[in-house]
Amino acid sequence: MWEFLARSLEASTIFTVAALGELIGQRSGVLNVGIEGVMLFGATLGFIAAQTTGSYVIGFLVAIGIGAFLGLLHGFFSITLGGDQVVSGMGIWILGFGLTTYIGNPYTGPLGMERIPTIFGVSPFFYVAIILVAVTWFVLSKTSLGLRIRSVGENPAVAAVSGISVTKTRYLTVIVSGMLMGFAGAIYSLDYNPVWNYNFIMGWGFIALALVFFSMWNPWILLGGSLLFGSLWQLSLNPQLLLPGVFSRYIWRTVPFVITLGVLLMMSTKWFRTKWGAAKPAALGEPYSPE
Amino acid sequence: MQTGILAGIKHGETVLETRGITKRFPGVLANDHIDFEMKAGEVHAILGENGAGKSTFMNILFGLLQPDEGEIYVAGKKVKFHSPLDAIELGIGMVHQHRKLVSAHTVLENIILGHPNAGRILNLKKTGEEIDALCQRYGFKIDLKAKVWQLSEGEKQVVEILKALYRGAKILILDEPTSALAPPEVDKLLASIEAMTGDELAMIPFITHKLPIVLSTSDRVTILRRGRVTARLETKNATERSLAKDMVGREVVFRLESVEVEKGPLVLEVENLSTRNDKGALALNGVSFSIREGEIFGIAGISGNGQQELAEVLAGLRKAEGGKVMLEGKDITHASSLERWQTGVGYIPAERVDVGSIGDFTLVENVAMNYYFDHEFSRYGVVDYKKMGALTEEIIEEFSVATPSADTVGKNLSGGNLQKLILGRVFSRRPRLLIANLPTQGLDVGAIEFVQNKLIEAKKERAAVLLISEDLDEVLSLSDWVAPIYEGEFMGVIPGKEAEKDSVGAMMAGSRLEEVVA
Amino acid sequence: MKVGGYEVKLEKRILLPGWKAAAISILAIFVALFLFGFIFLQDGVNPLVAYREIFSYAFFNPFGFPLTINRFIFLLLATYAFIIPFRAGLWNIGMPGQLYFGALGAYAVVFALGGHLSRTAALSPIIVIPLMLLGSALAGAGYGAIAGFLKGKYNINEIVVTMILNFIAFWLVAFMIKEGGLFMNPGGRGESFELPDSLHAPLVGGTPFTILLALGLAVLLYWVFAKTRIGYQIKAYGLSPAAAKYAGISSFKIPLLVFILGGAIAGWAGYHYFAAVPGVFKISRNYGFFGDLAFYGLIAGLISLGNSLTAIPVALLFAGLSVGGRFVQGKLHMGFGLDYALLGVLMITLVIFQFFYRNKIVWEKIEKERLDVGISR
């Protein structure tokens, strides 16, 4: 049972870090639907780097680096070229899915390194995630930088006449956002489940995306949602722990996804929508071009 | 607070000067050698119609645009603005007509956004105290913790002024300062302008229509027409009529001839109608009225008092929360917007670009927006684009829409021509009830006259017309009935002939008919 | 930006004539293939040789060409499943889920008629094959309708929903065909029962009849968008939901409708690959591969700018590339997943080229006097 709880927290860690990345980008008005792709890149390249060099540190650095690069790419498409953010995000997802399948295939199989030690029985990244949530919350709501980010996401034209560079602010968030997503991918492939497999992120990125909408752009609510989904995910993998004999194991695998749909539906109720409408960054998904 | 080159300026000294400012856009000479000069403690208004080059000049002064030729001097020093930040640093502040504020944030957050004093970690206490001091000095009252979307237009304007002052502005550009304000708020603004000029600040209001405001506030006026300065004079030597003539270039008729049409039977009856806005708050609260054939029913109000919601609920785009709507005796309270179009409702929306038309559609397809469902234009689910094209040509002809062809896409049309197309499209359906929401807003004088005459024509053709306007003169001169609206309620319904500007203005600000009469 | 005596500027395009759009799309494909050449180079293969092998296998080889055609039919159907919602401004990336459901729908018909019991079951193809088509269309449409309903009624982001539905459908197929599922192959190889011989899809010139369906739909969809009322309503909603609402177009019905139509066509794509391609006739163990392949439909739909006729050559090219890519991967001893990598490179190139649909680069000679103005400060 303890083992199950610990694994649940570790699964939550991945949702938290990836979704936090998306949240930061969205607060500045940039939507990245390609989280899954960035995670795949981070997971695959991090895995390969760690395996070839034998160093976890290098593995994580590579993952964060490729995340930053993909964030930059998304920024270039959506900020500099002013393109459709959905098209760009889709592009990054499919690029990630396609290229990592090809690049990672020769490395199919377990990582074959000593596991990263746990702290009080839980992966150290869980604690890192909590710190990241706290830092993100503090920066967004208590600092000048946070005010700038939020203003750019709400109304870039206003930010611009107040002397803030919309472009710089958005590039900053998009790069940090990519780094976190890449990091989340590497936590998956180097710590949570260190085995490379074809398209092994299996929807984590898309659930993380849904979690951001659910969180009403508040890092603490996001953490709560991630804990819920992490446990759910873990339960769907090991249903026998809690509910032995109920449903086939394939049906269990659908449960986190079905519940995601349920949560999305709940959020669209009238009560939720009035709250949600107020919290949503008003310029989300819209390119900004000064006239 | 900052000290720029304007810090120690004394009364009567020149703070800002431009020489020969010229700006070209493809096909247009927007500013043609504009010379302008103003002194500390002075209000120097710039007057001109839409398209006269006002906003170009304003954007140049604020650093949003760079002039092709000409120079700007601040306190006698030649300067060049690369962005608004340069202008802000030299002490020029802007109060935008379309408020540049983040509505989800608090007043304080808006004021300190981008300010060097904000601190790496937001110093809300210190900045709050400094801003409170500014408020006391100039007599502003505002709750710094309130969210901007909760504020009235006048309060939002105060926030913009405070934001500029806190940045150390000594010259304030005021873009259409009174446009969205209710009359009592205008009075407050005038009082604070006086307080600020008394403190040696310089004000440049840019004004299109409100000539009385120019006369009552400014010391000097510069008038622009077609990108050039046509007159520069001391305000005390001007009259409303002379200003209008310099601005338009000909004598202007201030009141339209009102037309008497024999009243017919009731077309629209509205009982106790209520609805909510997008945020879920009650926007329209139990409104009742009726319109007869051949009548124009004018609703006067400052934007945001429920008139938008009223138009939408009547057009079937918003759900009624309670009450009843009858069209020629038929209950249409719960009819869809499509059913309403088919039973004789015609709606001209205020948002002509985003709602009234589709930029990527050709004019033919745009006309189809109000016709695709008609049996005459589409049979068995197939649209007769040939017939639709012929209709479009007719509308282009009759409403003198300036366009290369009917196959041009909508976004290539100017605002005035787009409005003419929408008008033509809705009028040609010969609606029984015509809802016109801000039909002349943002148009130039020629187009305004055209649209107003068309509304009178609709009345002659025995339609019932609901006119929603923020322009009090327009409502008073066109309407058979005038209903000032305030916070979702009618403050009274007055026959057009008896409506006085003062009393209607007071009612727009929340006084009831009984109070005004008494 | 200044280059020599010229000023290089970007200008927004106001009108994009069809031929220019086509030219940009073709250029995008060429650039993607060029970039992809580096992957061959990196694996020590001459790209020209690789492309020659790919094209000659895909289009001129007696084994390869039929594979290409079958994949072409599949991709074309997947492309329509994307295009129809796309014209309404909505993203259907749920083609995999919808096509899994389409396959399940077709097999459910056969199952209900007892066709799973024996490969020699005598079922009348004239009656049962249309029923299978109906079953797959209904199942795909019903599954698509979930996303359309949630979008139309509650405005829930359709990208997240369709993607989540893909994962749910993926596991539901496993549930149906593996470990004691209803449609399990009696041999228990983790795949579905095989269709009775009598229900093998009739061939038209060696190709399953579904090719007629796919080509017929191209013309039908083109006509629908160019001429009909419903096509007009979908386009209006896609360009401006607010304006469409003003024009009396239901913001509930349009999303629902486009996802029902898209889902139904995706359902046929599922029928095609799992019940019509010669030699398969079962839901194979690697069904996930075909589901992921459907994402080529997304790219084909974007490149053909939502036009069902131009989608034909694009889908044919992509079919050839993916079939040929898989072939050279074996022949030239390259790693698995070459066709997926190509998918990724095509997509990201297209993203860049989206820019050129909206903007053009203008070279302007700088006049002497303007140069002076630029320098003085």
Side-chain angles (χ1 to χ4, degrees), chain B residues 61-114:
Chain B
L61 289 184
F62 193 54
L64 278 165
L65 289 175
Q66 280 75 43
D68 295 333
E69 288 168 36
E71 294 119 39
I72 304 174
Y73 298 84
V74 174
K77 281 206 188 86
K78 186 175 170 185
V79 294
K80 191 159 185 179
F81 301 145
H82 296 95
S83 77
L85 204 54
D86 294 342
I88 291 172
E89 276 170 6
L90 284 170
I92 298 178
M94 170 91 130
V95 177
H96 304 85
Q97 178 188 9
H98 304 287
R99 312 281 180 241
K100 296 273 195 222
L101 297 170
V102 180
S103 42
H105 291 174
T106 65
V107 171
L108 183 57
E109 282 178 322
N110 268 286
I111 294 175
I112 64 174
L113 176 62

Side-chain angles (χ1 to χ4, degrees), chain A residues 27 138 141-145 147-148 150-151 154-155 157-164 270 274 278 291, chain B residues 62 64 84-85 88 96 100-102 104-105 109-110 112-114 118-122 163 167 279-280:
Chain A
R27 280 314 285 259
F138 182 79
S141 55
K142 298 288 170 196
T143 69
S144 235
L145 175 65
L147 179 61
R148 286 209 291 270
R150 286 184 286 131
S151 304
E154 288 288 339
N155 194 332
V158 171
V161 296
S162 307
I164 290 162
K270 210 172 175 185
T274 39
E291 288 301 328
Chain B
F62 193 54
L64 278 165
L85 204 54
I88 291 172
H96 304 85
K100 296 273 195 222
L101 297 170
V102 180
H105 291 174
E109 282 178 322
N110 268 286
I112 64 174
L113 176 62
R120 219 171 260 264
I121 291 170
L122 291 174
K163 181 170 174 172
R167 271 279 175 121
K279 291 210 161 82

Side-chain angles (χ1 to χ4, degrees), chain C residues 58-285:
Chain C
F59 294 105
F60 302 104
N61 181 298
F63 298 104
F65 188 62
L67 292 179
T68 301
I69 289 299
N70 277 315
R71 189 158 291 181
F72 159 65
I73 298 168
F74 174 80
L75 290 187
L76 197 54
L77 291 170
T79 306
Y80 302 152
F82 175 76
I83 279 180
I84 297 173
F86 189 62
R87 292 299 286 262
L90 302 175
W91 287 76
N92 180 14
I93 54 169
M95 298 91 86
Q98 291 147 16
L99 76 92
Y100 298 149
F101 260 70
L104 291 179
Y107 276 78
V109 168
V110 180
F111 180 81
L113 298 172
H116 60 296
L117 298 173
S118 136
R119 281 197 56 185
T120 54
L123 291 170
S124 157
I126 302 171
I127 297 169
V128 180
I129 289 182
L131 280 178
M132 288 170 75
L133 277 175
L134 184 69
S136 54
L138 283 179
Y143 205 57
I146 299 175
F149 177 82
L150 292 177
K151 178 71 193 178
K153 184 92 180 165
Y154 299 108
N155 197 21
I156 304 179
N157 184 305
E158 76 283 1
I159 296 177
V160 176
V161 170
T162 47
M163 199 63 209
I164 281 171
L165 289 173
N166 286 343
F167 290 108
I168 295 176
F170 178 85
W171 293 114
L172 286 180
V173 174
F175 172 68
M176 293 304 285
I177 66 172
K178 296 183 180 178
E179 295 181 16
L182 272 184
F183 297 170
M184 191 179 77
N185 190 299
R189 293 184 298 262
E191 55 192 32
S192 78
F193 65 84
E194 291 182 47
L195 287 185
D197 295 339
S198 56
L199 294 183
H200 291 185
L203 303 180
V204 182
T207 305
F209 72 95
T210 38
I211 192 167
L212 299 179
L213 204 63
L215 294 177
L217 275 172
V219 179
L220 181 70
L221 288 176
Y222 184 83
W223 177 77
V224 164
F225 283 115
K227 297 283 174 202
T228 68
R229 193 188 311 177
I230 195 72
Y232 177 83
Q233 289 171 300
I234 293 174
K235 283 189 291 183
Y237 180 86
L239 291 171
S240 169
K245 193 179 168 198
Y246 159 77
I249 295 166
S250 163
S251 50
F252 169 65
K253 285 182 200 155
I254 295 292
L256 184 60
L257 178 77
V258 292
F259 271 99
I260 285 178
L261 293 177
I265 295 178
W268 280 342
Y271 169 83
H272 169 73
Y273 238 134
F274 297 114
V277 171
V280 183
F281 304 120
K282 65 187 176 193
I283 303 178
S284 49
R285 214 167 14 182

